[in-house]
Amino acid sequence: MARPTLVSLARELGVSRQTVSNVINAPHLVKTETRERVQAAIEASGYRPNVAAQALRNRRSMTLAMRMHPTLEDGINGAIRDRFLHHLVVAARAQGYSLLLTTADSFDDEVDVLTEMHVRGTIDGCVLTDTHAGDSRPSRLVANGVPVAAFGRPWGHDERHPWVDVEGWRGTHAATNHLLEAGHERIGFIGWPGNSDTGVDRRTGWERAMAEHGYGAETGRWQAERVDQIEQGMEAAEKLLDEGVEAFVCASDSLALGALEAVRRRGFEGLEAPVIGFDNTPVARAMGLSSLDQPVEQAAEVLCRQLVARIAASQDATGSVEDEHVLLEPTLVVRELAEMYAPVED
Amino acid sequence: MARPTLVSLARELGVSRQTVSNVINAPHLVKTETRERVQAAIEASGYRPNVAAQALRNRRSMTLAMRMHPTLEDGINGAIRDRFLHHLVVAARAQGYSLLLTTADSFDDEVDVLTEMHVRGTIDGCVLTDTHAGDSRPSRLVANGVPVAAFGRPWGHDERHPWVDVEGWRGTHAATNHLLEAGHERIGFIGWPGNSDTGVDRRTGWERAMAEHGYGAETGRWQAERVDQIEQGMEAAEKLLDEGVEAFVCASDSLALGALEAVRRRGFEGLEAPVIGFDNTPVARAMGLSSLDQPVEQAAEVLCRQLVARIAASQDATGSVEDEHVLLEPTLVVRELAEMYAPVED
DNA sequence: TTGTAGGCGTTATCAG
DNA sequence: CTGATAACGCCTACAA
């Protein structure tokens, strides 16, 4: 027994296929009596419109795509991506869209893959993540006519596409203030080497807060740059502790975990360790490390809305919409150190 | 300038659209000369077949779906899911399929959502994860005519669908043997409370290895059951250490991290901690904890192959294929504890 | 309010 | 080897 179609339903009911279609897409056009009869038949038969036919006819696939980056050191870490992805799917669904996952070997390849999908009508638009300085993906995709929305601002470029980003500096700023208010004075910062935009951004918040409290002169001495590993964090923290630093804001949870270990070994007062990480990873939660949480849920939602608006604009040919550029703020999650990791007594 | 179609290309070249189609799908039917002329035009114009039209015509969307579970305690953890997903996308792509992500509020809802997608022609089949005892999803989906392949065996049921699973017990068995060979004698096991199938499976490997080495009588005393948290693992380990246990195999990395801390505090010889976790999470890697790695890449690949075969069978109506049931083995990843976490000296 | 007609872009079948 | 014809299932004008 084949699946019912508009035509088969219409035939059975003795009406035209158009009437059935109207019952679904423009019920107000159909006489109540007919409508109810048709609706009953639709439900009884379990009829569902075929998406391929709709896509062909409407020229929209109601599908978005996003590249699944291989887990990289410097990209969004696994846990965050997992959360982001989940919310993205939910947000897309809420707008009637599906999310398709893709892979690519490189950023260049990503542009090709996404463009191809768009040309073939597989997707209506795409989400970009892991933006970086000099990232040419957005402009190239836009040039190819592919609607784009990015998670991450276009560092240094003034791109013509909507994006959402999290203002890391506001997070580290809040974290620094929190430590200062808790009575600590010499707050250090452990960040990444090089001038990655995210890295500079996160350090800036600390610098600013310190300057605001009259420690501007010390920000040169009280900071360290290490690659993103626990051990590196610990080593850096020990060096800074020797210089008199007593609390730490870190660019990542990995570095923070290292700093935490260093701090534990020297002991500290109270239940809350004077160390704050970034990204609020599961480990941080498990150990009781305070951390900055990125509002990925909200980011996913905004991103989706932007993208859908962009798609609508690109199809209505009503011209361009105002590109939204949204900045969100991380939330400081304060925790007490898990008992088992309480500082080692001297 | 609209995108080229078969018709527009055909018109330009003065051939029929069918010929153009043949050049793409059945080149051998076309005279070399014509073929080359058409091919040149295709490349020059950047023509790409429209997937909606293909899907409509071929009645296959070349798309698979998988539910994105909200991160749960007992499900696949974030990091593993991330890896699995990535490989699934790659494997699907290799077979010409795309992967669509979905959400659902419950297992029941998941069946509805996936069935709906299949009825509407959005997807050709789906992947199931987080299978559990009494899981009715596979049979219901199969009943609805949706091709299915599951990551996780149908615990206790003899389902008629292909699946792949990882034999946890072989992992813990190998881990236990490794510790025994390293000279430890009294190996304990820290697992989860209750009788979750995965939990029992993982414990079984340890029990078996212990029995094989003449410690069968001790497996009752040398094990503990705790909820999956670091602190619980530590507490359990301390209790067992007091009973004379000297090394641990754990059902998860969380429990193992706790056990590791307990072991550190008492000190141990060598660089390799006498603790082995499960799932090879990033934290384990960072801290230098030995762990059992699930072959998710291979699982994704096999799963995809199974599903595609299943789809083909469901469409050729050639009857049913032999359902494959594949069991894979975890790999023991032995690590030396990160220097900074070296045991505390007495 | 309902029905008719045309077309979205592709592929399979069959005749030339 | 090539081309004409007929769907695949849906939606939007437009006509009745």
Side-chain angles (χ1 to χ4, degrees):
Chain A
M1 200 150 49
R3 250 180 244 314
T5 69
L6 275 190
V7 187
S8 77
L9 268 181
R11 222 177 4 228
E12 264 178 45
L13 292 167
V15 298
S16 81
R17 66 186 180 194
Q18 182 52 27
T19 302
V20 182
S21 173
N22 280 337
V23 168
I24 295 171
N25 300 309
H28 59 280
L29 292 180
V30 184
K31 188 166 62 179
T32 315
E33 192 188 300
T34 324
R35 187 190 336 145
E36 283 168 358
R37 196 162 63 91
V38 174
Q39 242 151 10
I42 288 178
E43 280 167 34
S45 67
Y47 169 77
R48 312 262 75 191
N50 178 296
V51 293
Q54 285 180 321
L56 182 58
R57 173 67 233 225
N58 300 334
R59 304 161 136 271
R60 2 165 65 242
S61 61
M62 301 308 282
T63 302
L64 310 176
M66 182 183 128
R67 173 182 174 196
M68 184 88 194
H69 294 253
T71 309
L72 290 171
E73 306 295 317
D74 55 340
I76 323 186
N77 70 56
I80 289 228
R81 170 162 70 194
D82 197 65
R83 283 173 55 209
F84 177 66
L85 212 51
H86 183 78
H87 292 302
L88 202 56
V89 176
V90 174
R93 196 173 156 68
Q95 307 225 44
Y97 281 81
S98 297
L99 185 71
L100 203 58
L101 250 32
T102 305
T103 50
D105 302 329
S106 63
F107 288 120
D108 283 354
D109 192 30
E110 182 176 359
V111 172
D112 292 343
V113 169
L114 291 171
T115 301
E116 161 101 7
M117 290 185 124
H118 185 252
V119 168
R120 299 197 53 177
T122 310
I123 60 169
D124 294 336
C126 64
V127 169
L128 254 33
T129 61
D130 297 88
T131 58
H132 51 274
D135 195 341
S136 65
R137 292 174 300 161
S139 56
R140 286 162 63 198
L141 285 166
V142 169
N144 290 344
V146 186
V148 173
F151 185 23
R153 77 202 82 173
W155 297 99
H157 286 252
D158 179 46
E159 303 280 4
R160 287 304 187 90
H161 66 274
W163 50 260
V164 182
D165 204 357
V166 177
E167 279 188 299
W169 76 265
R170 287 192 189 276
T172 45
H173 188 267
T176 308
N177 279 334
H178 175 81
L179 290 172
L180 287 166
E181 278 160 25
H184 301 291
E185 300 194 336
R186 297 184 290 284
I187 321 286
F189 181 83
I190 305 177
W192 301 309
N195 282 314
S196 83
D197 304 290
T198 313
V200 171
D201 183 44
R202 295 185 180 180
R203 188 183 45 203
T204 302
W206 162 78
E207 276 170 356
R208 224 171 271 188
M210 290 302 278
E212 285 161 13
H213 285 76
Y215 296 104
E218 319 293 351
T219 52
R221 287 164 46 222
W222 294 347
Q223 70 172 284
E225 303 189 339
R226 297 299 150 96
V227 298
D228 199 34
Q229 287 171 9
I230 301 186
E231 292 177 16
Q232 296 288 318
M234 157 143 160
E235 197 214 331
E238 288 194 320
K239 201 160 281 176
L240 292 173
L241 283 167
D242 288 340
E243 300 226 359
V245 170
E246 43 184 17
F248 298 93
V249 172
C250 304
S252 76
D253 277 352
S254 303
L255 292 171
L257 285 171
L260 180 64
E261 178 69 15
V263 162
R264 273 181 69 202
R265 294 193 179 175
R266 309 229 177 167
F268 60 85
E269 312 237 316
L271 298 165
E272 198 190 314
V275 176
I276 297 179
F278 212 113
D279 276 352
N280 196 24
T281 51
V283 216
R285 200 167 331 157
M287 308 225 358
L289 170 72
S290 298
S291 190
L292 290 159
D293 187 76
Q294 300 209 32
V296 281
E297 171 163 9
Q298 209 188 333
E301 222 163 82
V302 173
L303 213 48
C304 241
R305 217 183 301 287
Q306 290 176 333
L307 185 50
V308 170
R310 189 75 182 195
I311 290 168
S314 84
Q315 295 194 333
D316 296 357
T318 351
S320 56
V321 257
E322 197 74 17
D323 284 335
E324 272 184 294
H325 297 157
V326 177
L327 285 168
L328 303 174
E329 202 165 335
T331 311
L332 176 60
V333 179
V334 176
R335 295 200 175 87
E336 293 179 357
L337 195 61
E339 242 176 83
M340 59 175 281
Y341 289 119
V344 178
E345 304 295 334
D346 292 345
Chain B
M1 196 151 48
R3 247 179 245 317
T5 69
L6 276 188
V7 186
S8 76
L9 268 182
R11 219 174 8 227
E12 265 178 45
L13 292 167
V15 298
S16 81
R17 65 185 176 196
Q18 183 53 29
T19 300
V20 182
S21 172
N22 280 338
V23 168
I24 296 170
N25 300 307
H28 58 280
L29 292 180
V30 184
K31 188 165 61 179
T32 314
E33 191 189 300
T34 322
R35 186 188 338 142
E36 281 167 357
R37 196 161 61 92
V38 174
Q39 242 151 10
I42 288 177
E43 279 166 36
S45 68
Y47 166 78
R48 313 263 74 189
N50 178 296
V51 292
Q54 285 181 320
L56 181 59
R57 174 69 233 218
N58 299 335
R59 304 159 136 273
R60 0 167 69 239
S61 61
M62 300 309 281
T63 302
L64 311 176
M66 183 184 126
R67 173 182 174 195
M68 185 87 194
H69 294 254
T71 310
L72 290 170
E73 307 294 317
D74 54 341
I76 323 184
N77 70 57
I80 289 228
R81 171 163 68 193
D82 198 64
R83 282 174 55 210
F84 177 67
L85 213 51
H86 183 79
H87 292 303
L88 202 56
V89 175
V90 173
R93 196 172 155 69
Q95 307 225 42
Y97 281 82
S98 297
L99 185 71
L100 205 58
L101 250 31
T102 306
T103 51
D105 302 329
S106 62
F107 287 121
D108 283 355
D109 192 30
E110 181 176 0
V111 172
D112 292 344
V113 168
L114 292 171
T115 302
E116 162 101 8
M117 291 185 122
H118 185 250
V119 167
R120 299 197 55 178
T122 310
I123 59 169
D124 294 336
C126 63
V127 169
L128 254 33
T129 60
D130 296 270
T131 57
H132 52 274
D135 195 342
S136 65
R137 291 175 298 162
S139 56
R140 287 162 63 199
L141 285 166
V142 169
N144 290 342
V146 186
V148 174
F151 184 24
R153 75 201 84 172
W155 295 99
H157 287 251
D158 179 46
E159 304 281 3
R160 285 307 186 88
H161 66 273
W163 50 261
V164 182
D165 203 357
V166 177
E167 279 189 301
W169 77 264
R170 286 193 191 275
T172 46
H173 189 268
T176 309
N177 278 335
H178 176 80
L179 291 171
L180 287 166
E181 278 161 25
H184 302 289
E185 300 195 336
R186 296 183 290 283
I187 320 286
F189 181 82
I190 305 178
W192 302 308
N195 282 314
S196 83
D197 304 291
T198 314
V200 171
D201 182 44
R202 294 185 182 180
R203 187 183 42 198
T204 302
W206 163 77
E207 277 170 355
R208 223 170 270 189
M210 290 302 277
E212 286 163 11
H213 285 77
Y215 295 104
E218 319 292 352
T219 53
R221 287 164 45 223
W222 294 347
Q223 69 172 285
E225 303 190 341
R226 298 299 150 97
V227 297
D228 200 34
Q229 289 170 9
I230 301 186
E231 292 177 16
Q232 295 288 318
M234 158 143 157
E235 197 213 330
E238 288 194 320
K239 201 160 283 177
L240 292 173
L241 283 166
D242 288 339
E243 300 225 1
V245 170
E246 42 183 18
F248 298 93
V249 172
C250 303
S252 75
D253 277 352
S254 303
L255 293 171
L257 285 171
L260 180 63
E261 179 69 15
V263 162
R264 273 180 69 203
R265 294 194 179 174
R266 311 229 176 168
F268 60 85
E269 314 236 314
L271 298 166
E272 198 188 314
V275 176
I276 297 178
F278 212 115
D279 275 352
N280 197 23
T281 52
V283 215
R285 200 167 331 156
M287 309 224 358
L289 170 72
S290 297
S291 189
L292 289 159
D293 187 76
Q294 299 210 33
V296 282
E297 171 164 8
Q298 209 188 333
E301 220 162 85
V302 174
L303 213 47
C304 240
R305 218 182 298 287
Q306 290 177 332
L307 186 50
V308 170
R310 189 75 180 195
I311 290 168
S314 84
Q315 296 193 333
D316 297 355
T318 352
S320 54
V321 255
E322 196 74 21
D323 285 335
E324 271 184 294
H325 298 158
V326 177
L327 285 168
L328 303 174
E329 202 164 335
T331 310
L332 176 61
V333 179
V334 176
R335 294 198 175 89
E336 293 181 356
L337 194 61
E339 241 176 85
M340 59 175 283
Y341 289 118
V344 179
E345 303 296 332
D346 292 343

